[in-house]
Amino acid sequence: MREESMRRKLHNTIQELKGNIRVFSRVRPLLGDELLGMDSDVPQHINFPDPDKKILELEKLAGITPNEVCESVASVRRGSNNKYEFQFDRVFPPSSTQTEVFHEISQLVQSALDGYNVCIFAYGQTGSGKTFTMEGRGTGDNRGMIPRSVEKIFATRDDLLSKGWIVSYLVSFLEIYNETIRDLLVQSRSQADSTKHDIKLVGPNTNEVFVTDLTTVEVQHQDAVQVLLKRALENRSVAETKCNERSSRSHSIFRMKITGSNSVTAESCVGLLNLVDLAGSERLKESGSQGQRLKETQNINKSLANLSNVIMALANKETHVPYRNSKLTHLLQNCLGGSSKMLMFVNVSPKEECFQETLNSLRFATQVNQCNIGQAQKKVK
Ligand SMILES: Nc1ncnc2c1ncn2[C@@H]1O[C@H](COP(=O)(O)OP(=O)(O)O)[C@@H](O)[C@H]1O
Ligand SMILES: [Mg+2]
């Protein structure tokens, strides 16, 4: 039994040395019609120059209009030939498989199993591959990080049981649309439409929050998660008929609460694994938008900006962290900061016409990544 505690400690030390905030960038392949008229299926304006897979180079080829906002990004090293170089903890080129990507995050799933709170985000413009990364497609090789995380969690179950642990896995799945929480695991649509959800503190002396009247499902087998993902998809598509492409304008949070207790060693642990598919980060113009669309735009811009404010405040060790300025960070407040671990995927579209949005996304990611460096250095002291 001591052996397991030692392993947990060691694993956590390694994770801390790597930094508690990490950033990965993933470029999806060109698909379908996007390939028409192209010489190859790899984007020509995105390069992966280093063998260590940490650098992504964006190249402004002839014909792309320069943009002043991005020219002034100090953190971006701009070399000759209109090249912008970005460095992340890991860069995944278009040919990367879901298996390769999961390999890099599986250590964080292990941390959740060990009783830490973990948040994995997918950030990027609509169509860049966030949902493909998180949920994936089907049950085969293209299945995403959510089903693979659940599989990993179940793969350790027998071992834990044999060591005297009693474990339980509780899943919830919700979306935040226009600062309103919607339960994606409800059985009936009328229930989803009529139930109002609030975020409340679990108790007086904790920062742990819960969502009122939210469906939580105890998962007994790894395959059950596919049923839940399907139910969530149906609940989302119902909402979509009322407001098309709604899913790209909402954040979704898949959460697995892992509880373990061991009567032999008197140990217990609770870990929360959050897999967050963020709303599309494209800069939507507020001017010209009206009514519902304007409200959506403002809410997305506000909540994504607040997410980065929270990360900055944590990195700078500020006394006030503005968790409560948006539903997203309020809900995740006990999973960001402290001993929690965070990873952000910045998903990138390979389309050349998306150059500007790609630059914006990579810029955002670079800011987040700098928090990583700050924190990692502190640990080494
Ligand atoms: N790595 C990938 N390999 C193959 N297809 C992908 C990949 N990433 C995304 N896609 C496909 O590209 C399209 C857009 O991806 P999606 O995940 O829906 O984007 P987002 O959620 O960011 O709007 C989808 O049809 C998706 O299946
Ligand atoms: Mg999506």
Side-chain angles (χ1 to χ4, degrees):
M1 305 312 149
R2 286 265 315 282
E3 202 183 294
E4 174 66 13
S5 309
M6 282 292 288
R7 187 204 57 73
R8 283 178 188 224
K9 240 184 175 154
L10 191 64
H11 179 255
N12 190 51
T13 309
I14 295 167
Q15 291 298 299
E16 282 187 354
L17 285 172
K18 284 188 182 175
N20 280 345
I21 302 180
R22 265 180 275 170
V23 181
F24 291 169
S25 181
R26 183 182 197 185
V27 183
R28 74 156 168 85
L30 287 161
L31 303 160
D33 287 353
E34 296 164 5
L35 287 160
L36 295 174
M38 300 292 293
D39 296 334
S40 97
D41 59 358
V42 235
Q44 298 299 301
H45 65 295
I46 305 177
N47 307 317
F48 304 92
D50 70 320
D52 291 343
K53 298 189 185 139
K54 288 182 190 297
I55 294 175
L56 185 155
E57 192 183 73
L58 199 59
E59 190 173 355
K60 196 187 289 157
L61 304 172
I64 304 177
T65 345
N67 178 295
E68 283 157 35
V69 178
C70 297
E71 302 276 338
S72 65
V73 179
S75 57
V76 179
R77 253 205 286 156
R78 192 175 164 206
S80 54
N81 306 326
N82 290 336
K83 285 179 179 165
Y84 300 80
E85 189 185 283
F86 298 89
Q87 189 170 350
F88 299 113
D89 296 290
R90 177 70 201 255
V91 167
F92 295 97
S95 57
S96 308
T97 62
Q98 300 278 55
T99 308
E100 285 172 66
V101 175
F102 184 72
H103 182 76
E104 292 295 320
I105 70 153
S106 69
Q107 294 299 307
L108 283 172
V109 178
Q110 183 62 51
S111 288
L113 274 166
D114 291 346
Y116 291 88
N117 291 346
V118 176
C119 279
I120 301 178
F121 294 95
Y123 178 96
Q125 72 179 111
T126 299
S128 61
K130 297 181 298 295
T131 307
F132 183 87
T133 298
M134 288 307 199
E135 295 179 29
R137 225 174 21 215
T139 52
D141 288 347
N142 279 332
R143 69 200 193 285
M145 302 307 116
I146 293 176
R148 286 169 192 266
S149 300
V150 175
E151 283 160 27
K152 178 173 169 89
I153 289 163
F154 274 93
T156 62
R157 189 162 82 152
D158 286 347
D159 189 39
L160 287 172
L161 295 180
S162 74
K163 288 175 178 163
W165 287 85
I166 295 169
V167 289
S168 88
Y169 311 122
L170 288 174
V171 167
S172 64
F173 202 5
L174 59 81
E175 102 183 335
I176 303 170
Y177 172 72
N178 264 341
E179 289 299 280
T180 306
I181 295 171
R182 188 184 162 100
D183 187 347
L184 291 177
L185 294 184
V186 281
Q187 297 280 9
S188 82
R189 177 184 162 180
S190 58
Q191 194 188 341
D193 290 338
S194 61
T195 315
K196 191 180 172 304
H197 304 279
D198 293 313
I199 302 173
K200 291 200 169 144
L201 279 175
V202 168
N205 299 316
T206 165
N207 68 345
E208 195 184 330
V209 292
F210 74 102
V211 175
T212 58
D213 296 311
L214 187 70
T215 309
T216 49
V217 179
E218 175 152 16
V219 183
Q220 307 279 6
H221 189 271
Q222 63 184 41
D223 293 345
V225 76
Q226 291 294 352
V227 178
L228 298 180
L229 288 181
K230 195 163 160 268
R231 200 196 292 173
L233 190 70
E234 281 162 9
N235 280 327
R236 282 184 129 176
S237 56
V238 165
E240 226 141 33
T241 54
K242 277 188 276 172
C243 171
N244 84 75
E245 288 178 59
R246 173 172 154 154
S247 68
S248 68
R249 298 204 286 274
S250 63
H251 311 296
S252 74
I253 304 179
F254 175 93
R255 171 176 280 188
M256 192 154 184
K257 183 175 184 174
I258 303 156
T259 314
S261 62
N262 191 322
S263 55
V264 184
T265 60
E267 287 173 289
S268 68
C269 68
V270 182
L272 286 177
L273 176 66
N274 300 280
L275 294 144
V276 187
D277 188 344
L278 293 167
S281 63
E282 54 274 14
R283 303 285 155 100
L284 300 165
K285 286 196 188 66
E286 290 188 17
S287 60
S289 313
Q290 283 179 329
Q292 185 73 353
R293 189 64 199 243
L294 177 62
K295 201 172 141 202
E296 278 175 1
T297 305
Q298 289 171 335
N299 278 324
I300 295 170
N301 292 347
K302 203 181 108 192
S303 60
L304 290 177
N306 192 56
L307 175 62
S308 87
N309 290 343
V310 163
I311 297 168
M312 303 297 162
L314 289 169
N316 296 333
K317 306 252 182 293
E318 282 167 23
T319 43
H320 177 70
V321 181
Y323 290 115
R324 300 185 66 143
N325 283 2
S326 73
K327 285 273 180 348
L328 176 71
T329 49
H330 189 186
L331 201 72
L332 294 171
Q333 70 172 20
N334 58 316
C335 297
L336 296 169
S339 59
S340 310
K341 304 183 193 299
M342 187 188 129
L343 172 90
M344 187 166 290
F345 277 104
V346 177
N347 288 95
V348 168
S349 165
K351 292 198 280 186
E352 209 173 310
E353 69 199 56
C354 296
F355 190 91
Q356 189 56 57
E357 284 302 339
T358 296
L359 207 44
N360 290 343
S361 293
L362 295 170
R363 176 191 179 197
F364 177 89
T366 301
Q367 281 181 340
V368 174
N369 207 30
Q370 279 164 352
C371 297
N372 174 10
I373 294 161
Q375 210 173 42
Q377 279 172 347
K378 225 180 158 74
K379 298 266 189 250
V380 177
K381 263 198 261 176

